[in-house]
Coordinates of all heavy atoms in Angstrom, one line a residue:
M10 N 80.0 33.0 112.8 CA 81.3 33.2 113.2 C 81.5 32.5 114.6 O 80.7 32.6 115.4 CB 81.6 34.7 113.5 CG 82.0 35.4 112.3 SD 82.5 37.1 112.7 CE 83.0 37.6 111.2
T11 N 82.7 31.9 114.7 CA 83.0 31.3 116.0 C 83.6 32.4 116.9 O 84.0 33.4 116.5 CB 84.0 30.2 115.8 OG1 85.2 30.7 115.2 CG2 83.4 29.1 114.9
T12 N 83.6 32.1 118.2 CA 84.0 33.1 119.2 C 85.5 33.4 119.1 O 85.9 34.5 119.5 CB 83.8 32.6 120.6 OG1 84.4 31.3 120.8 CG2 82.3 32.4 120.8
D13 N 86.3 32.6 118.4 CA 87.8 32.9 118.3 C 88.1 33.8 117.1 O 89.2 34.2 117.0 CB 88.6 31.6 118.3 CG 88.2 30.7 117.2 OD1 87.1 30.8 116.7 OD2 89.1 29.9 116.7
E14 N 87.1 34.1 116.3 CA 87.3 34.9 115.1 C 87.1 36.4 115.5 O 86.2 36.7 116.3 CB 86.4 34.5 114.0 CG 86.7 33.2 113.4 CD 85.7 32.8 112.2 OE1 85.2 33.8 111.6 OE2 85.5 31.7 112.0
A15 N 87.9 37.3 114.9 CA 87.6 38.7 115.2 C 86.4 39.1 114.4 O 86.1 38.7 113.3 CB 88.8 39.5 114.6
P16 N 85.6 40.0 115.1 CA 84.3 40.5 114.4 C 84.7 41.3 113.2 O 85.7 42.0 113.2 CB 83.6 41.3 115.5 CG 84.7 41.7 116.4 CD 85.8 40.6 116.4
E17 N 83.8 41.2 112.2 CA 84.0 42.0 111.0 C 83.4 43.4 111.3 O 82.5 43.6 112.0 CB 83.2 41.4 109.8 CG 83.6 40.0 109.4 CD 84.9 40.1 108.5 OE1 85.4 41.2 108.2 OE2 85.3 39.0 108.2
E18 N 84.1 44.4 110.7 CA 83.7 45.8 111.0 C 83.7 46.6 109.7 O 84.6 46.4 108.9 CB 84.7 46.4 111.9 CG 84.1 47.4 112.8 CD 85.2 47.9 113.9 OE1 86.0 48.8 113.5 OE2 85.2 47.3 115.0
T19 N 82.6 47.4 109.5 CA 82.5 48.2 108.3 C 82.1 49.6 108.8 O 81.6 49.8 109.9 CB 81.6 47.7 107.2 OG1 80.3 47.5 107.8 CG2 82.0 46.3 106.7
T20 N 82.1 50.6 107.9 CA 81.7 51.9 108.2 C 80.6 52.3 107.3 O 80.5 52.0 106.1 CB 82.9 52.9 107.9 OG1 84.0 52.4 108.7 CG2 82.6 54.3 108.3
V21 N 79.6 53.0 107.9 CA 78.5 53.5 107.1 C 78.9 54.8 106.4 O 79.5 55.7 106.9 CB 77.3 53.9 108.0 CG1 76.1 54.4 107.2 CG2 76.9 52.6 108.8
S22 N 78.7 54.8 105.0 CA 79.0 56.0 104.2 C 78.1 57.2 104.5 O 77.0 57.0 105.2 CB 79.0 55.7 102.8 OG 77.7 55.6 102.3
D23 N 78.4 58.3 104.0 CA 77.5 59.5 104.2 C 76.2 59.3 103.5 O 75.2 60.0 103.8 CB 78.2 60.8 103.7 CG 78.6 60.8 102.3 OD1 78.6 59.7 101.7 OD2 79.0 61.8 101.8
R24 N 76.1 58.3 102.6 CA 74.8 58.1 101.9 C 74.1 56.9 102.5 O 73.1 56.4 102.0 CB 75.1 57.8 100.4 CG 75.6 59.0 99.7 CD 75.8 58.8 98.2 NE 74.6 58.5 97.6 CZ 74.5 57.9 96.4 NH1 75.5 57.6 95.8 NH2 73.3 57.6 95.9
G25 N 74.6 56.4 103.7 CA 73.9 55.3 104.4 C 74.3 53.9 103.9 O 73.7 52.9 104.2
M26 N 75.3 53.8 103.0 CA 75.7 52.5 102.5 C 76.8 51.8 103.3 O 77.6 52.5 103.9 CB 76.3 52.7 101.1 CG 75.2 53.2 100.1 SD 75.8 52.9 98.4 CE 75.7 54.5 97.7
V27 N 76.7 50.5 103.3 CA 77.6 49.7 104.1 C 78.1 48.6 103.1 O 77.4 48.0 102.4 CB 77.0 49.0 105.3 CG1 77.9 48.1 106.0 CG2 76.4 50.1 106.2
T28 N 79.4 48.3 103.2 CA 80.0 47.2 102.4 C 80.0 46.0 103.2 O 80.5 46.0 104.4 CB 81.5 47.6 102.0 OG1 81.4 48.7 101.2 CG2 82.1 46.4 101.2
I29 N 79.5 44.9 102.7 CA 79.5 43.6 103.4 C 80.9 43.0 103.1 O 81.2 42.8 101.9 CB 78.4 42.7 102.9 CG1 77.1 43.4 103.0 CG2 78.4 41.4 103.6 CD1 75.9 42.7 102.3
P30 N 81.6 42.6 104.1 CA 83.0 42.0 103.9 C 82.9 40.7 103.0 O 81.9 40.0 103.1 CB 83.4 41.7 105.3 CG 82.7 42.6 106.2 CD 81.3 42.8 105.5
A31 N 83.9 40.6 102.2 CA 83.9 39.4 101.2 C 83.8 38.1 101.9 O 83.1 37.2 101.5 CB 85.1 39.5 100.4
S32 N 84.4 38.0 103.1 CA 84.4 36.7 103.8 C 82.9 36.4 104.2 O 82.5 35.2 104.2 CB 85.3 36.7 105.0 OG 84.9 37.7 105.9
L33 N 82.2 37.4 104.6 CA 80.8 37.1 105.0 C 79.9 36.8 103.8 O 79.0 36.0 103.8 CB 80.2 38.3 105.7 CG 80.7 38.6 107.1 CD1 80.1 39.9 107.7 CD2 80.5 37.4 108.0
R34 N 80.2 37.5 102.7 CA 79.4 37.3 101.4 C 79.6 35.8 101.0 O 78.6 35.2 100.6 CB 79.8 38.3 100.3 CG 79.4 39.7 100.6 CD 79.5 40.6 99.4 NE 80.8 40.4 98.6 CZ 81.8 41.2 98.8 NH1 81.8 42.2 99.7 NH2 82.9 41.0 98.1
R35 N 80.8 35.4 101.0 CA 81.1 34.0 100.6 C 80.4 33.0 101.6 O 79.8 32.0 101.2 CB 82.6 33.7 100.6 CG 83.3 34.3 99.4 CD 84.7 33.8 99.2 NE 85.6 34.3 100.3 CZ 86.2 35.4 100.4 NH1 86.2 36.2 99.3 NH2 87.0 35.7 101.4
R36 N 80.6 33.2 102.9 CA 80.1 32.3 103.9 C 78.6 32.2 103.8 O 78.0 31.2 104.0 CB 80.5 32.8 105.3 CG 80.1 31.9 106.4 CD 80.7 32.3 107.7 NE 80.3 31.3 108.7 CZ 80.8 31.3 109.9 NH1 81.7 32.1 110.2 NH2 80.3 30.5 110.8
L37 N 77.9 33.3 103.6 CA 76.4 33.4 103.6 C 75.9 33.2 102.1 O 74.7 33.3 102.0 CB 75.9 34.7 104.2 CG 76.3 34.8 105.7 CD1 75.9 36.2 106.2 CD2 75.6 33.7 106.5
D38 N 76.7 33.1 101.2 CA 76.3 32.9 99.8 C 75.5 34.1 99.3 O 74.4 34.0 98.7 CB 75.6 31.6 99.6 CG 75.3 31.3 98.1 OD1 76.1 31.7 97.2 OD2 74.3 30.7 97.8
I39 N 76.0 35.3 99.6 CA 75.3 36.5 99.2 C 75.8 36.9 97.9 O 77.0 37.0 97.6 CB 75.6 37.7 100.3 CG1 75.0 37.3 101.6 CG2 75.0 39.0 99.8 CD1 75.4 38.2 102.7
E40 N 74.9 37.1 96.9 CA 75.2 37.5 95.6 C 74.5 38.8 95.2 O 73.5 39.2 95.8 CB 74.8 36.4 94.6 CG 75.6 35.1 94.8 CD 75.2 34.0 93.8 OE1 74.3 34.3 93.0 OE2 75.8 33.0 93.8
P41 N 75.0 39.4 94.1 CA 74.3 40.6 93.6 C 72.8 40.4 93.4 O 72.5 39.3 92.8 CB 75.0 41.0 92.3 CG 76.4 40.4 92.5 CD 76.2 39.1 93.3
G42 N 72.0 41.3 93.8 CA 70.6 41.1 93.6 C 69.9 40.6 94.9 O 68.7 40.8 95.0
D43 N 70.6 40.0 95.8 CA 70.0 39.6 97.0 C 69.6 40.8 97.8 O 70.1 41.9 97.7 CB 71.0 38.7 97.9 CG 71.2 37.3 97.3 OD1 70.5 36.9 96.4 OD2 72.2 36.7 97.7
K44 N 68.6 40.6 98.7 CA 68.1 41.7 99.5 C 68.3 41.3 101.0 O 68.5 40.2 101.3 CB 66.6 41.9 99.2 CG 66.4 42.4 97.8 CD 64.9 42.7 97.6 CE 64.7 43.2 96.2 NZ 63.3 43.6 95.9
F45 N 68.1 42.3 101.8 CA 68.2 42.2 103.3 C 67.0 42.6 103.9 O 66.4 43.7 103.6 CB 69.4 42.9 103.9 CG 70.7 42.4 103.4 CD1 71.3 42.9 102.3 CD2 71.4 41.3 104.1 CE1 72.5 42.4 101.8 CE2 72.6 40.8 103.6 CZ 73.2 41.3 102.5
R46 N 66.5 41.9 104.9 CA 65.4 42.3 105.7 C 65.9 42.6 107.1 O 66.5 41.8 107.8 CB 64.4 41.1 105.8 CG 63.1 41.5 106.5 CD 62.1 40.3 106.3 NE 61.7 40.2 104.9 CZ 61.6 39.1 104.2 NH1 61.9 38.0 104.8 NH2 61.3 39.1 102.9
W47 N 65.7 43.9 107.5 CA 66.2 44.4 108.8 C 65.1 44.4 109.8 O 64.0 44.9 109.5 CB 66.7 45.9 108.6 CG 67.7 46.0 107.5 CD1 67.5 46.1 106.1 CD2 69.1 46.1 107.6 NE1 68.6 46.2 105.4 CE2 69.7 46.2 106.3 CE3 70.0 46.0 108.7 CZ2 71.0 46.3 106.0 CZ3 71.4 46.1 108.4 CH2 71.9 46.2 107.1
Q48 N 65.4 44.0 111.0 CA 64.5 44.0 112.1 C 65.1 44.4 113.4 O 66.3 44.0 113.7 CB 63.8 42.6 112.3 CG 63.0 42.2 111.1 CD 62.3 40.8 111.2 OE1 62.7 40.1 112.1 NE2 61.4 40.5 110.3
I49 N 64.4 45.1 114.2 CA 64.9 45.5 115.6 C 63.9 44.9 116.6 O 62.7 45.1 116.5 CB 65.0 47.0 115.7 CG1 65.9 47.6 114.7 CG2 65.4 47.4 117.1 CD1 66.0 49.1 114.7
D50 N 64.5 44.2 117.6 CA 63.6 43.6 118.6 C 63.4 44.6 119.7 O 63.8 45.7 119.6 CB 64.2 42.3 119.1 CG 65.5 42.4 119.9 OD1 65.8 43.6 120.3 OD2 66.2 41.4 120.1
E51 N 62.6 44.2 120.7 CA 62.2 45.1 121.8 C 63.4 45.6 122.6 O 63.3 46.7 123.2 CB 61.2 44.4 122.7 CG 59.9 44.1 122.0 CD 58.9 43.3 122.8 OE1 59.3 42.9 123.9 OE2 57.9 43.0 122.3
E52 N 64.5 44.9 122.6 CA 65.7 45.3 123.4 C 66.6 46.2 122.5 O 67.6 46.7 123.0 CB 66.5 44.1 123.9 CG 65.8 43.3 125.0 CD 64.8 42.3 124.5 OE1 65.2 41.7 123.4 OE2 63.8 42.2 125.1
G53 N 66.2 46.4 121.3 CA 67.0 47.2 120.4 C 68.1 46.5 119.6 O 69.0 47.1 119.0
N54 N 68.1 45.2 119.6 CA 69.0 44.3 118.9 C 68.6 44.3 117.4 O 67.5 44.0 117.1 CB 69.1 42.9 119.5 CG 69.6 42.9 120.9 OD1 70.6 43.6 121.2 ND2 68.9 42.2 121.8
L55 N 69.6 44.5 116.6 CA 69.4 44.4 115.1 C 69.6 43.0 114.6 O 70.6 42.4 114.9 CB 70.3 45.4 114.5 CG 70.3 45.4 112.9 CD1 69.0 45.9 112.4 CD2 71.5 46.3 112.4
S56 N 68.7 42.5 113.8 CA 68.9 41.3 113.1 C 68.7 41.5 111.6 O 67.9 42.4 111.2 CB 68.0 40.2 113.6 OG 66.7 40.5 113.2
V57 N 69.5 40.8 110.8 CA 69.4 41.0 109.3 C 69.2 39.6 108.7 O 70.0 38.7 109.0 CB 70.7 41.6 108.8 CG1 70.6 41.8 107.3 CG2 71.0 43.0 109.5
E58 N 68.2 39.5 107.9 CA 68.0 38.3 107.2 C 68.3 38.4 105.7 O 67.9 39.4 105.1 CB 66.5 37.9 107.3 CG 66.1 36.6 106.6 CD 64.6 36.4 106.6 OE1 63.9 37.1 107.3 OE2 64.2 35.5 105.9
V59 N 69.0 37.5 105.1 CA 69.3 37.5 103.7 C 68.1 37.0 102.9 O 67.7 35.8 103.2 CB 70.6 36.7 103.3 CG1 70.9 36.8 101.8 CG2 71.8 37.2 104.1
V60 N 67.6 37.7 102.0 CA 66.5 37.3 101.1 C 67.1 37.0 99.8 O 67.5 38.0 99.1 CB 65.4 38.3 101.1 CG1 64.2 37.9 100.3 CG2 64.9 38.7 102.5
K61 N 67.1 35.8 99.3 CA 67.7 35.5 98.0 C 66.9 36.0 96.9 O 65.7 35.7 96.9 CB 67.9 33.9 97.9 CG 68.8 33.3 99.0 CD 70.2 33.8 98.9 CE 71.0 33.1 100.0 NZ 72.3 33.6 100.1
Q62 N 67.5 36.7 96.0 CA 66.8 37.2 94.8 C 67.6 36.8 93.6 O 68.3 37.6 93.0 CB 66.6 38.7 94.8 CG 65.8 39.2 96.0 CD 64.3 38.9 95.8 OE1 63.8 38.9 94.7 NE2 63.7 38.5 96.8
R63 N 67.6 35.5 93.2 CA 68.5 35.0 92.2 C 67.9 35.2 90.8 O 66.7 35.1 90.6 CB 68.9 33.6 92.4 CG 69.5 33.4 93.8 CD 70.8 34.2 93.9 NE 71.4 34.4 95.2 CZ 72.2 33.5 95.8 NH1 72.6 32.4 95.2 NH2 72.6 33.8 97.0
Y64 N 68.8 35.4 89.8 CA 68.3 35.5 88.4 C 67.9 34.1 88.0 O 68.3 33.1 88.6 CB 69.5 35.9 87.5 CG 70.0 37.3 87.9 CD1 71.2 37.5 88.6 CD2 69.2 38.4 87.6 CE1 71.7 38.7 88.9 CE2 69.7 39.7 88.0 CZ 70.9 39.8 88.6 OH 71.3 41.1 88.9
R65 N 67.1 34.0 86.9 CA 66.6 32.8 86.4 C 65.7 32.1 87.4 O 65.6 30.9 87.5 CB 67.7 31.8 86.0 CG 68.6 32.5 84.9 CD 69.7 31.6 84.4 NE 70.5 31.0 85.4 CZ 71.6 31.5 86.0 NH1 71.9 32.7 85.6 NH2 72.3 30.8 86.9
A66 N 64.9 32.8 88.2 CA 64.1 32.3 89.3 C 63.0 31.4 88.7 O 62.6 30.4 89.3 CB 63.5 33.4 90.1
F67 N 62.6 31.6 87.5 CA 61.5 30.9 86.8 C 62.0 30.0 85.7 O 61.2 29.5 84.9 CB 60.4 31.8 86.3 CG 59.8 32.7 87.4 CD1 60.2 34.0 87.5 CD2 59.0 32.1 88.3 CE1 59.7 34.8 88.5 CE2 58.4 32.9 89.3 CZ 58.8 34.2 89.4
E68 N 63.3 29.7 85.7 CA 63.9 28.9 84.6 C 63.3 27.5 84.5 O 63.1 27.0 83.5 CB 65.4 28.8 84.9 CG 66.1 28.2 83.7 CD 67.6 28.3 83.9 OE1 68.2 27.5 84.7 OE2 68.2 29.2 83.4
D69 N 62.9 26.9 85.6 CA 62.4 25.6 85.6 C 60.8 25.6 85.6 O 60.2 24.5 85.7 CB 62.8 24.8 86.9 CG 64.3 24.6 87.0 OD1 64.9 24.7 85.9 OD2 64.8 24.4 88.1
D70 N 60.3 26.7 85.4 CA 58.8 26.8 85.3 C 58.3 26.1 84.1 O 58.5 26.6 83.0 CB 58.4 28.3 85.4 CG 56.9 28.5 85.4 OD1 56.2 27.5 85.6 OD2 56.5 29.7 85.2
D71 N 57.5 25.1 84.3 CA 56.9 24.4 83.1 C 55.5 25.0 82.9 O 54.8 24.4 82.0 CB 56.8 22.9 83.4 CG 56.1 22.5 84.6 OD1 55.6 23.4 85.4 OD2 55.9 21.3 84.8
M72 N 55.1 26.0 83.5 CA 53.8 26.7 83.3 C 53.9 27.9 82.4 O 53.1 28.8 82.4 CB 53.2 27.1 84.7 CG 53.0 25.9 85.6 SD 51.8 24.8 85.1 CE 50.3 25.8 85.2
K73 N 54.9 27.9 81.6 CA 55.1 29.1 80.7 C 53.9 29.1 79.7 O 53.5 28.1 79.2 CB 56.4 28.9 79.9 CG 57.6 29.0 80.8 CD 58.9 28.9 80.0 CE 60.1 29.0 80.9 NZ 60.8 27.7 80.9
A74 N 53.5 30.3 79.4 CA 52.4 30.6 78.5 C 53.0 30.4 77.1 O 54.0 31.0 76.8 CB 51.8 31.9 78.7
P75 N 52.3 29.7 76.2 CA 52.8 29.6 74.8 C 52.6 30.9 74.1 O 51.6 31.6 74.2 CB 51.8 28.5 74.2 CG 50.6 28.6 75.1 CD 51.1 28.9 76.4
M76 N 53.7 31.4 73.4 CA 53.7 32.6 72.8 C 53.5 32.5 71.3 O 53.4 33.5 70.6 CB 55.0 33.4 73.0 CG 55.2 33.7 74.5 SD 53.9 34.6 75.3 CE 54.2 36.2 74.6
G77 N 53.5 31.3 70.8 CA 53.4 31.0 69.3 C 54.7 31.3 68.6 O 55.5 32.0 69.0
G78 N 54.8 30.7 67.4 CA 56.0 30.9 66.6 C 57.2 30.2 67.2 O 57.1 29.5 68.2
D79 N 58.3 30.4 66.6 CA 59.6 29.8 67.0 C 60.5 30.8 67.7 O 61.7 30.6 67.8 CB 60.3 29.0 65.9 CG 60.7 29.9 64.8 OD1 60.5 31.2 64.9 OD2 61.2 29.4 63.8
S80 N 60.0 31.9 68.0 CA 60.7 33.1 68.6 C 61.6 33.7 67.6 O 62.3 34.7 68.0 CB 61.5 32.6 69.9 OG 62.7 31.9 69.5
L81 N 61.6 33.3 66.4 CA 62.4 34.0 65.4 C 61.6 34.8 64.4 O 62.1 35.4 63.5 CB 63.2 32.9 64.6 CG 64.2 32.1 65.4 CD1 64.8 31.0 64.5 CD2 65.3 32.9 66.0
D82 N 60.3 34.7 64.6 CA 59.3 35.4 63.8 C 59.5 36.9 64.0 O 59.7 37.4 65.1 CB 57.9 35.0 64.1 CG 57.6 33.6 63.7 OD1 58.3 33.0 62.9 OD2 56.6 33.1 64.3
T83 N 59.3 37.6 62.9 CA 59.2 39.1 63.0 C 57.9 39.5 62.4 O 57.3 38.8 61.5 CB 60.4 39.8 62.2 OG1 60.3 39.3 60.8 CG2 61.7 39.4 62.8
H84 N 57.4 40.7 62.8 CA 56.2 41.1 62.3 C 56.3 42.6 61.9 O 56.9 43.4 62.7 CB 55.1 41.0 63.4 CG 54.9 39.5 63.8 ND1 54.2 38.7 63.0 CD2 55.3 38.8 64.8 CE1 54.2 37.5 63.6 NE2 54.9 37.6 64.7
D85 N 55.7 42.9 60.8 CA 55.7 44.3 60.4 C 54.3 44.9 60.6 O 53.4 44.5 59.9 CB 56.1 44.3 58.9 CG 56.2 45.7 58.3 OD1 55.8 46.7 59.0 OD2 56.5 45.8 57.1
F86 N 54.2 45.7 61.6 CA 52.9 46.3 61.9 C 52.5 47.3 60.9 O 51.3 47.7 61.0 CB 53.0 46.9 63.3 CG 53.2 45.9 64.4 CD1 54.4 45.9 65.1 CD2 52.3 44.9 64.7 CE1 54.6 44.9 66.1 CE2 52.5 44.0 65.6 CZ 53.6 44.0 66.3
A87 N 53.3 47.8 60.0 CA 52.9 48.7 59.0 C 52.2 48.0 57.8 O 51.7 48.6 56.9 CB 54.1 49.5 58.5
G88 N 52.3 46.6 57.8 CA 51.6 45.9 56.7 C 52.5 45.6 55.5 O 52.0 45.4 54.4
N89 N 53.8 45.8 55.6 CA 54.7 45.6 54.5 C 55.3 44.3 54.4 O 56.3 44.1 53.7 CB 55.8 46.7 54.6 CG 55.2 48.1 54.5 OD1 54.4 48.4 53.6 ND2 55.7 49.0 55.3
E90 N 54.8 43.3 55.1 CA 55.5 41.9 55.1 C 55.6 41.3 53.8 O 56.5 40.6 53.5 CB 54.7 41.0 56.1 CG 54.9 41.3 57.5 CD 54.2 40.4 58.5 OE1 53.3 39.7 58.0 OE2 54.6 40.4 59.6
T91 N 54.6 41.6 52.9 CA 54.7 40.9 51.6 C 55.3 41.8 50.5 O 55.6 41.3 49.4 CB 53.2 40.6 51.1 OG1 52.5 41.8 51.1 CG2 52.6 39.6 52.1
D92 N 55.7 43.0 50.8 CA 56.3 43.9 49.9 C 57.8 43.5 49.8 O 58.6 43.5 50.8 CB 56.2 45.4 50.4 CG 56.7 46.4 49.4 OD1 57.6 46.0 48.5 OD2 56.2 47.5 49.4
P93 N 58.3 43.2 48.6 CA 59.7 42.7 48.4 C 60.7 43.8 48.8 O 61.8 43.4 49.2 CB 59.8 42.4 46.9 CG 58.5 42.6 46.3 CD 57.6 43.1 47.3
A94 N 60.4 45.0 48.8 CA 61.3 46.1 49.2 C 61.6 46.0 50.7 O 62.6 46.6 51.2 CB 60.7 47.5 48.8
F95 N 60.7 45.4 51.5 CA 60.9 45.3 52.9 C 61.2 43.9 53.4 O 61.1 43.7 54.6 CB 59.6 45.8 53.6 CG 59.3 47.2 53.4 CD1 58.4 47.6 52.4 CD2 59.8 48.2 54.2 CE1 58.2 49.0 52.1 CE2 59.6 49.5 54.0 CZ 58.7 49.9 53.0
T96 N 61.7 43.1 52.6 CA 62.0 41.7 53.1 C 63.3 41.7 53.9 O 64.2 42.5 53.6 CB 62.2 40.7 51.9 OG1 63.2 41.1 51.1 CG2 60.9 40.6 51.1
E97 N 63.4 40.7 54.8 CA 64.7 40.6 55.6 C 65.6 39.7 55.0 O 66.8 39.5 55.4 CB 64.3 40.2 57.0 CG 63.5 41.2 57.7 CD 63.1 40.7 59.1 OE1 63.4 39.6 59.5 OE2 62.4 41.5 59.8
D98 N 65.2 39.0 53.9 CA 66.1 38.0 53.2 C 67.2 38.8 52.5 O 66.9 39.7 51.7 CB 65.4 37.2 52.2 CG 64.3 36.3 52.9 OD1 64.5 36.0 54.1 OD2 63.3 36.1 52.3
A99 N 68.5 38.5 52.8 CA 69.5 39.2 52.1 C 70.4 38.2 51.3 O 70.5 37.1 51.5 CB 70.4 39.9 53.1

């Protein structure tokens, strides 16, 4: 924030929750699932660090373990895969 902007203010709920103003969420790119790291220095000043916790964090991971099949396979653990009464073909 620049010095000519009014400071943002929120209230702590009885359960200890605080709402982050939308303007700050947009400016800091805060999204659902992100976390905050709270620290107090020796003078008692509070600092908060945004820790990004984004979905699809491993989407580009080329080290995926092969699981076999084409992910459409089904398995019957009761051993009825060959029984025509239990086929999935309709």
Side-chain angles (χ1 to χ4, degrees):
M10 278 187 174
T11 61
T12 55
D13 59 335
E14 293 180 27
E17 297 282 356
E18 211 172 84
T19 59
T20 303
V21 178
S22 75
D23 58 349
R24 295 183 62 199
M26 294 195 234
V27 177
T28 299
I29 304 166
S32 61
L33 291 177
R34 291 193 314 264
R35 285 190 296 272
R36 184 175 181 168
L37 298 173
D38 190 31
I39 298 171
E40 294 183 357
D43 288 347
K44 295 183 179 185
F45 293 91
R46 187 169 292 134
W47 306 81
Q48 296 180 347
I49 300 174
D50 66 16
E51 294 171 0
E52 290 86 39
N54 297 312
L55 174 67
S56 65
V57 181
E58 176 186 357
V59 179
V60 181
K61 303 293 182 184
Q62 297 289 322
R63 301 301 164 88
Y64 300 105
R65 301 181 309 274
F67 301 105
E68 189 172 79
D69 296 337
D70 182 12
D71 58 354
M72 300 294 291
K73 295 181 179 114
M76 300 303 287
D79 60 4
S80 75
L81 300 175
D82 294 341
T83 59
H84 299 283
D85 182 353
F86 294 113
N89 296 316
E90 287 182 342
T91 59
D92 188 332
F95 292 96
T96 62
E97 294 179 359
D98 299 328

